Amino acid sequence: MLRASEIIGTNAHLSLLPDPLHPVLTFSSTTMSGLQISRDLGSVTITITASGTAVATGVSIKTSILQDIVTGLSSFANKADLLILAAGGTVPRLVMTNVVLYIDRSLSSASLQAGGLQVSFS
C-alpha cells in the first residue's frame, strides 16, 4: 500500500492493456509528501517512510481497477482527471491528496530521491 499526504504527478496515464482488470498507472515524474509504502507479509509488515519530500521518475503502479476508481474518487483534486484517465487520456498535471493506493501487483520507478528514508518491521 502506498500512502501520501499529496502526490503531484506529471503526464499521468492509465493503461488498461494488456490486462483491463489490473491497469497500470504511470507518471513521467512525481513529487510526494508524507510518503509511506507498506507491505504485509503475513507474520510481519515492512514499512518504508520518507520524512522529507520524495521525487521519483518513471513511476509505474499496477493495481486492480476497482481500487483505482475508489482512490480516484476520494483523492483526485480535479475529479475530471479520473474521467480523462479512464478514457485512455494523459493528464499533464495530476494532483492527489490524502492518497491511499493499493499496490496488489507491482510498483516501480526509474529513480527515487527521498529524504529521511526509514525502514521498519512490525
Side-chain angles (χ1 to χ4, degrees):
M1 178 180 309
L2 183 149
R3 294 178 184 268
S5 54
E6 181 179 66
I7 294 177
I8 300 174
T10 57
N11 299 319
H13 182 76
L14 184 65
S15 176
L16 298 174
L17 298 175
D19 182 1
L21 295 179
H22 298 96
V24 178
L25 177 62
T26 59
F27 301 97
S28 60
S29 65
T30 61
T31 301
M32 299 168 277
S33 301
L35 176 64
Q36 179 184 53
I37 299 171
S38 60
R39 174 75 174 158
D40 183 5
L41 299 174
S43 60
V44 66
T45 299
I46 300 172
T47 303
I48 301 169
T49 58
S51 61
T53 300
V55 178
T57 61
V59 176
S60 174
I61 302 169
K62 186 172 186 176
T63 187
S64 71
I65 191 138
L66 179 60
Q67 294 300 338
D68 281 341
I69 291 169
V70 169
T71 298
L73 290 174
S74 63
S75 65
F76 282 25
N78 181 354
K79 304 301 185 215
D81 289 343
L82 181 60
L83 298 174
I84 293 168
L85 291 174
T90 298
V91 177
R93 185 174 186 271
L94 179 66
V95 178
M96 302 169 73
T97 57
N98 300 316
V99 181
V100 177
L101 291 173
Y102 295 92
I103 306 163
D104 62 357
R105 295 290 188 252
S106 65
L107 167 68
S108 65
S109 88
S111 69
L112 173 66
Q113 293 178 323
L117 201 60
Q118 296 180 340
V119 178
S120 63
F121 301 89
S122 59

